[in-house]
Amino acid sequence: MSYSKGLEGVVAAETYVGHVDGENGKLIYRGYMAKDLAVNYSFEEVAYLVWNDALPNEKELNEFKKALKENRSIPDYVLNILRVLPKETEIMSVLRTCISALGTKDYAWPPKIDQAMKLTAITPTIIAYWYRKQNNLSIINPNNELDHVANYLYMIKGEKPREDLVKALSAYFILTIEHGMNASTFSSRVVTSTESDMVSALCAAIGAMKGPLHGGAPSGVISMLDEISSKEEIEPWVRARLDKGEKIMGFGHRVYRTRDPRSEALKTVLQSVASKNNWFDLVLEVEKTTIALLEEYKPGRGIYTNVEYFAAAVMKSIDLHSSLFTPTFTASRFVGWTAHILEQSASNRIYRPQSVYKGPVPV
């Protein structure tokens, strides 16, 4: 048997959900370029596509939106849990606990699309509830006049969000729905392969996403941009870090060997909706200068901005607190996780890899 640490390079499943083409900088959902979906479609349309393998017509979309809206409210027994949890508990742990509590007999094997819809619909409400509680703000109930992403911002901010901010965050949601066999998606498929329920699989995925090596947030990029602060400081700041061999936050990706398509799509959306201001001008200039300097210091490596770079610009534009970065990522990824859970259950075989024993052998 061959050994691959971390299962790197090992194919563990066949999937129709999505494809990450790192060599050519392509991210595909169900046969569509994710960057095109982010620019031209709503979150609901893309979620429907990922679950149903087809974009919805007008009637299907309206019914789908209605179903999501009907499942936003937190049940009373879960509200009781939220009331007694220690206030200092971080949001991802709260979300994992509440999702686990939802695991009633309604979520028994096999998993179904309506289960995925309900869990995806309620997740932003749980996140917003806990964020406002931690910050001593009054709780905002869902507003069913608003679609999924707009309602999420409304519950966090307490006021109806501007259309341009909703479009920017919607693009982020769409571009983080799915990204291949990453640690959290793999975790969800492993649990599903035992014929455990969807809720258990999602709790495993949330646990994996909670780890900083996977669910890392763009807060480091925002700190970098705040530290640079002006165009005149860009080159000396970046050169100083590269001279020390330090990583530049928001640049480079383990999979993509060319431009990250998610970054390019977010950049396109931000350029079309963001008001021209000094801060966004700085974002673009840092990108341009840093790519040139990376080519100078590391010729031929092709290091470009990753999704975290322009995700930082989105978060800064909507003034989202850093504690919400990973939970927001998670809220979008529920769609991809559940799509993989459904796919795994439809053609299931339990995961059972081997390990190489390195300990002593008794004689």
Side-chain angles (χ1 to χ4, degrees), residues 7-49:
L7 299 181
E8 185 167 359
V10 174
V11 176
E14 293 180 325
T15 183
Y16 291 89
V17 177
H19 175 55
V20 182
D21 182 349
E23 292 298 322
N24 297 300
K26 295 178 180 178
L27 175 61
I28 300 168
Y29 299 167
R30 300 284 190 183
Y32 292 82
M33 290 294 189
K35 62 182 181 181
D36 295 334
L37 294 170
V39 172
N40 299 307
Y41 292 88
S42 68
F43 170 82
E44 285 85 354
E45 288 173 301
V46 180
Y48 187 98
L49 167 68

Side-chain angles (χ1 to χ4, degrees), residues 157 162 164-165 168-169 222 270 273-275 277 279-280 283 310-320:
K157 298 289 187 179
R162 298 196 328 249
D164 61 331
L165 300 183
L169 187 59
I222 292 178
L270 280 166
V273 303
S275 301
N277 55 59
W279 190 84
F280 191 61
V283 167
F310 282 102
V314 172
M315 301 308 177
K316 183 94 170 178
S317 297
I318 62 180
D319 192 27
L320 206 66

Side-chain angles (χ1 to χ4, degrees), residues 248-322:
I248 308 298
M249 299 301 295
F251 290 81
H253 193 275
R254 182 176 179 179
V255 174
Y256 293 110
R257 297 293 176 257
T258 182
R259 294 183 183 272
D260 186 333
R262 301 167 299 170
S263 175
E264 292 296 290
L266 282 178
K267 179 179 177 180
T268 299
V269 170
L270 280 166
Q271 286 176 316
S272 68
V273 303
S275 301
K276 279 294 182 180
N277 55 59
N278 291 335
W279 190 84
F280 191 61
D281 287 344
L282 179 68
V283 167
L284 297 175
E285 194 62 33
V286 169
E287 179 196 28
K288 178 182 175 182
T289 303
T290 303
I291 288 174
L293 289 173
L294 284 167
E295 180 60 25
E296 176 186 326
Y297 279 75
K298 302 177 181 183
R301 292 277 299 275
I303 301 174
Y304 302 98
T305 49
N306 57 41
V307 69
E308 288 185 2
Y309 187 80
F310 282 102
V314 172
M315 301 308 177
K316 183 94 170 178
S317 297
I318 62 180
D319 192 27
L320 206 66
H321 190 271
S322 60

Side-chain angles (χ1 to χ4, degrees), residues 44 60-75 102 107 114-125 141-148 151 155:
E44 285 85 354
E60 290 168 337
L61 180 60
N62 290 335
E63 290 175 352
F64 184 72
K65 286 183 176 182
K66 181 181 178 183
L68 285 176
K69 290 174 181 178
E70 288 174 348
N71 289 285
R72 287 173 171 172
S73 299
I74 303 173
L102 291 168
Y107 291 92
D114 70 307
Q115 298 174 357
M117 291 174 61
K118 290 176 182 179
L119 294 164
T120 299
I122 199 173
T123 294
T125 313
N141 292 321
N143 182 341
N144 283 346
E145 294 179 3
L146 301 174
D147 288 341
H148 190 78
N151 177 63
M155 290 188 295

Side-chain angles (χ1 to χ4, degrees), residues 8 64 80-81 83 119 132 134-135 178 186 195 197 271 285 295 297 318 330 356:
E8 185 167 359
F64 184 72
N80 289 334
I81 293 172
R83 292 185 185 110
L119 294 164
R132 291 187 69 86
Q134 281 193 316
N135 289 277
E178 150 69 5
F186 182 56
E195 294 194 0
D197 55 279
Q271 286 176 316
E285 194 62 33
E295 180 60 25
Y297 279 75
I318 62 180
T330 302
V356 177

